[in-house]
C-alpha cells in the first residue's frame, strides 16, 4: 500500500502520534491534498503540535514511519528535513532506514518557469491573493473546506445570501478580498454532491466595523439553498479586488452587483473551458 504523508492540520480520523491525523483513503478524494491524482492508496496529514515538533529524527522515523505506517520505501524531496529543529536530512533518513528496514530516496524538486514548486511557494501566493499562481502550482484551484455555520446574515439582507465556512485552524486561506470560484457541498467521504459558481469574500467586512475574519461564498443567482451544517468546499479561481470599506451600504451593494457580474463571466468561461 502506498501512502503520502504531510505535516499540517486536518480533521481527525486515525492516531499516528499522541494526537490524531487524517487518513483519507476514499477513491473520490485520494491525491486531493497534493494536486493531481498520485495513485496513492491514502493520504495522511500529521497535526504539527509541540510534542510532534520535539521528536528527534530517530523518534520520528520509529514512531511514524516504522511503527505506524510500516514503511518499506520512503521517497522525499531532496531538501527534506525532519526531527527536532529540522536536524534530519535525506542521508540520515537513509541511514535510519537501514536500522528500521526501509529504503529512502531523495528526488529533485519540481521546477516550473524557473520557480521551485513547494508548499511554501503556494502559501506565499495565497497570502498575496494570487490564486491563479497557486492553482498553477497545485494543478487545480486552491480549495478551502469547512462546515457552513450561521453568520450575521448581512448578505441575505442585502440580496446575496452567503455560505459562511467555519474552517479548521491554520487553513491556508487566500488574502482578504473578493474572488470568483465555486461552492460545493460534500458528503462524508469528501465527494461533491452539488456545485455552484460563486462570488467569494474573505475578510472582516470593514463596512460594518472590524469583525472576525470570515470565508463566505454566494452561489450565483441562488437564494433557495439551505446549507447550514453541511460540509462544504470553496474553490478559488480568480481574484476580483481587495477588501474595501464603503461609505454606505448602498455603495457596497452596488459594488457587490459588479463583483457578481465579474464572477459570473469568469466562472462561465471556466465551465466552457472544462
Amino acid at each position: 500500500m502506498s501512502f503520502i504523508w504531510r505535516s499540517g492540520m486536518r480533521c481527525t480520523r486515525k492516531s499516528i502520534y499522541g494526537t490524531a491525523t487524517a487518513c483519507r483513503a476514499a477513491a473520490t478524494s485520494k491525491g486531493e491534498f497534493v494536486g493531481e491524482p498520485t495513485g496513492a492508496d491514502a493520504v495522511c496529514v500529521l497535526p504539527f503540535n509541540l510534542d510532534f515538533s520535539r521528536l528527534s529524527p530517530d523518534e520520528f522515523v520509529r514512531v511514524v514511519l516504522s511503527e505506524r505506517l510500516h514503511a518499506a520505501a520512503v521517497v522525499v524531496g531532496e531538501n527534506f528535513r525532519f526531527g527536532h529543529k529540522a536536524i534530519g536530512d535525506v542521508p540520515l533518513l537513509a541511514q535510519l532506514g537501514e536500522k528500521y528496514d526501509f529504503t529512502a530516496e531523495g528526488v529533485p524538486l519540481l521546477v516550473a518557469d524557473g520557480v521551485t514548486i513547494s508548499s511554501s511557494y503556494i502559501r506565499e501566493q495565497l497570502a498575496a491573493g494570487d490564486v491563479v499562481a497557486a492553482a498553477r502550482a497545485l494543478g487545480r484551484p486552491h480549495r478551502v473546506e469547512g462546515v457552513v455555520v450561521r453568520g450575521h446574515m448581512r448578505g441575505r439582507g442585502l440580496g446575496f445570501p452567503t455560505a459562511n465556512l467555519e474552517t479548521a485552524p491554520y487553513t491556508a486561506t487566500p488574502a482578504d478580498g473578493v474572488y470568483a470560484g465555486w461552492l460545493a457541498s460534500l458528503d462524508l467521504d469528501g465527494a461533491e454532491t452539488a456545485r455552484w459558481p460563486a462570488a467569494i469574500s474573505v475578510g472582516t467586512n470593514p463596512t460594518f466595523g472590524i469583525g472576525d475574519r470570515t470565508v463566505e461564498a454566494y452561489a450565483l443567482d441562488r437564494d433557495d439553498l439551505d446549507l447550514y451544517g453541511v460540509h462544504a468546499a470553496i474553490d478559488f479561481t480568480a481574484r476580483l479586488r481587495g477588501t474595501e470599506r464603503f461609505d454606505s451600504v448602498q455603495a457596497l451593494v452596488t459594488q457587490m452587483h459588479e463583483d457578481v457580474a465579474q464572477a459570473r463571466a469568469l466562472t462561465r468561461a471556466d465551465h466552457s473551458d472544462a
Side-chain angles (χ1 to χ4, degrees), residues 211-224:
D212 294 333
R213 190 169 189 249
T214 60
V215 181
E216 49 191 321
Y218 164 60
L220 301 185
D221 306 315
R222 297 295 299 268
D223 61 4
D224 58 335

Side-chain angles (χ1 to χ4, degrees), residues 152-186:
H152 296 289
M153 302 187 74
R154 295 192 186 103
R156 180 170 295 278
L158 299 176
F160 302 95
T162 60
N164 190 333
L165 260 61
E166 183 176 63
T167 58
Y170 308 107
T171 295
T173 304
D176 289 4
V178 178
Y179 299 83
W182 298 84
L183 170 66
S185 57
L186 309 177

Side-chain angles (χ1 to χ4, degrees), residues 32-194:
E32 176 181 293
F33 299 101
V34 289
E36 295 181 357
T38 61
D41 295 291
V43 178
C44 297
V45 184
L46 283 63
F48 189 86
N49 55 29
L50 185 60
D51 288 340
F52 186 87
S53 72
R54 289 174 173 170
L55 290 177
S56 69
D58 190 285
E59 289 173 323
F60 170 81
V61 168
R62 176 178 59 81
V63 173
V64 177
L65 300 183
S66 179
E67 294 180 358
R68 299 299 186 186
L69 295 181
H70 306 291
V74 177
V75 180
V76 296
E78 60 188 357
N79 67 341
F80 177 67
R81 310 291 298 192
F82 66 103
H84 185 53
K85 296 185 177 179
I87 60 175
D89 55 13
V90 176
L92 179 57
L93 182 64
Q95 180 181 330
L96 291 170
E98 295 179 1
K99 177 180 178 180
Y100 291 104
D101 196 27
F102 64 81
T103 62
E105 176 186 2
V107 297
L109 302 180
L110 177 64
V111 178
D113 298 325
V115 174
T116 300
I117 305 301
S118 67
S119 58
S120 297
Y121 169 77
I122 294 168
R123 286 194 298 270
E124 289 171 1
Q125 302 313 304
L126 293 172
D130 193 345
V131 295
V132 173
R136 190 180 303 118
L138 286 166
R140 56 165 174 81
H142 177 62
R143 167 168 285 195
V144 170
E145 294 184 18
V147 176
V148 179
V149 297
R150 292 189 182 277
H152 296 289
M153 302 187 74
R154 295 192 186 103
R156 180 170 295 278
L158 299 176
F160 302 95
T162 60
N164 190 333
L165 260 61
E166 183 176 63
T167 58
Y170 308 107
T171 295
T173 304
D176 289 4
V178 178
Y179 299 83
W182 298 84
L183 170 66
S185 57
L186 309 177
D187 64 18
L188 293 178
D189 290 321
E192 292 187 6
T193 56

